[in-house]
Amino acid sequence: MNALADRLKQVQDSIAAACQRAGRSEKSVQMVVVTKTAPLEAIQEVIRLGCTELGENRMQHLKQVSDDIDVFLKEHADDPAIPNAVHWHMIGHLQRNKVKPTLKICRMIHSVDTLRLAEEINTEAYKQGMRVDVLLQVNCSGEAQKYGVPVGAAIHLTEQMATMPHLRLIGLMTMAPLTLDKDRVRASFARAREVFEDIRAEKIVGAKFKHLSMGMSQDYEIAVEEGATLLRIGSALFA
Ligand SMILES: *Cc1c(COP(=O)(O)O)cnc(C)c1O
């Protein structure tokens, strides 16, 4: 096996082991492969290895890479070893003036962090005649510089987003604090899980509210143990 295939296998095995420790089904956790640092050949390779959920954090790069991958998929349309389609996730801070092009590419936006951004996405999705899956980004680390709404504002914002007909609010996203202290990382994921469960209990958005996007290369095993359903993993694969 080449190095990328090895690393993918290793990450998949670690996710499986974390699921087992947490008594969870492996199917309950999905990996979004974050391609922002990867060369095109490596992205093609990871697709060849079966990964079809891909994430980028900047619109400019997303546009370029997704165009390149479209070409690659078209060229290999008859190759049974290569998936027919991939799905892009916007995982980084999104400016309102980038919403329109983002919606043309992405299946899911993980990083809705203000009411104004939610409104812009709703308006633009209406214009494009679509409904878009979004996650509300919550700041559970208490760090001031991070994007994401404060925990105390999350329920209110989900109530407002639930009234927007062109959004499908399907969960929350959070990022761990920048620290090597695993207890702090775990505490912030556990906090996100609590907020997630609170929102579900209030029945604001119904059964489709089922995703918790948390966990990156450094902390995805903790995230699985704390209930993540979507992991966003880049450097552990592309090193
Ligand atoms: C880059 C990025 C990731 C992936 O980080 P790695 O440490 O490379 O796994 C996940 N989420 C967001 C929002 C990112 O910008």
Side-chain angles (χ1 to χ4, degrees), residues 1 3-16 220-221 236-237:
M1 276 196 288
L4 179 56
D6 283 343
R7 286 193 295 263
L8 178 63
K9 173 86 168 58
Q10 205 168 17
V11 169
Q12 286 169 333
D13 287 350
S14 304
I15 293 171
Y220 66 89
E221 293 169 273
L237 300 172

Side-chain angles (χ1 to χ4, degrees), residues 90-94 109-113 117 135-137 173:
M90 171 51 79
I91 62 170
H93 180 65
L94 181 58
I109 299 176
H110 290 226
S111 42
V112 178
D113 57 0
L117 177 60
L135 306 176
L136 175 65
Q137 184 174 353
M173 185 271 241

Side-chain angles (χ1 to χ4, degrees), residues 34 36 57 91 175 216-217 232-235:
V34 179
K36 66 190 182 196
N57 69 336
I91 62 170
M175 291 178 77
M216 311 184 359
S217 293
R232 309 178 311 270
I233 299 182
S235 52

Side-chain angles (χ1 to χ4, degrees), residues 49-233:
L49 291 165
C51 299
T52 54
E53 302 301 314
L54 307 177
E56 281 281 334
N57 69 336
R58 287 169 188 273
M59 176 54 216
Q60 220 64 44
H61 199 242
L62 168 68
K63 174 87 180 79
Q64 188 192 321
V65 171
S66 65
D67 282 349
D68 290 344
I69 292 301
D70 276 350
V71 171
F72 168 73
L73 294 177
K74 283 204 183 82
E75 281 171 4
H76 293 82
D78 298 328
D79 184 344
I82 296 186
N84 295 322
V86 298
H87 305 122
W88 290 97
H89 297 242
M90 171 51 79
I91 62 170
H93 180 65
L94 181 58
Q95 288 170 323
R96 278 179 295 140
N97 62 3
K98 305 273 169 59
V99 166
K100 185 175 175 176
T102 300
L103 290 190
K104 292 195 178 350
I105 302 170
C106 283
R107 126 164 315 194
M108 195 191 295
I109 299 176
H110 290 226
S111 42
V112 178
D113 57 0
T114 62
L115 179 60
R116 291 174 77 194
L117 177 60
E119 286 170 342
E120 181 69 26
I121 296 170
N122 185 53
T123 302
E124 194 53 51
Y126 164 73
K127 287 184 193 160
Q128 296 188 25
M130 62 187 289
R131 263 188 117 194
V132 56
D133 287 350
V134 299
L135 306 176
L136 175 65
Q137 184 174 353
V138 180
N139 180 347
C140 295
S141 73
E143 288 179 314
Q145 75 277 20
K146 282 274 176 64
Y147 294 113
V149 298
V151 165
I155 290 202
H156 185 54
L157 202 51
T158 54
E159 284 166 352
Q160 291 174 303
M161 288 167 72
T163 68
M164 299 181 189
H166 294 274
L167 296 189
R168 278 181 83 239
L169 178 60
I170 58 170
L172 300 181
M173 185 271 241
T174 200
M175 291 178 77
L178 279 172
T179 172
L180 295 172
D181 180 344
K182 293 198 167 172
D183 292 338
R184 279 187 60 208
V185 169
R186 186 178 296 280
S188 79
F189 288 157
R191 189 81 186 94
R193 169 71 179 272
E194 268 172 36
V195 178
F196 176 70
E197 297 294 352
D198 283 351
I199 292 169
R200 279 160 64 99
E202 301 258 346
K203 299 202 174 6
I204 301 166
V205 269
K208 66 181 183 289
F209 192 84
K210 59 184 180 190
H211 283 294
L212 198 45
S213 169
M214 59 187 191
M216 311 184 359
S217 293
Q218 295 303 320
D219 50 29
Y220 66 89
E221 293 169 273
I222 301 174
V224 170
E225 290 167 7
E226 297 302 328
T229 66
L230 291 166
L231 310 174
R232 309 178 311 270
I233 299 182

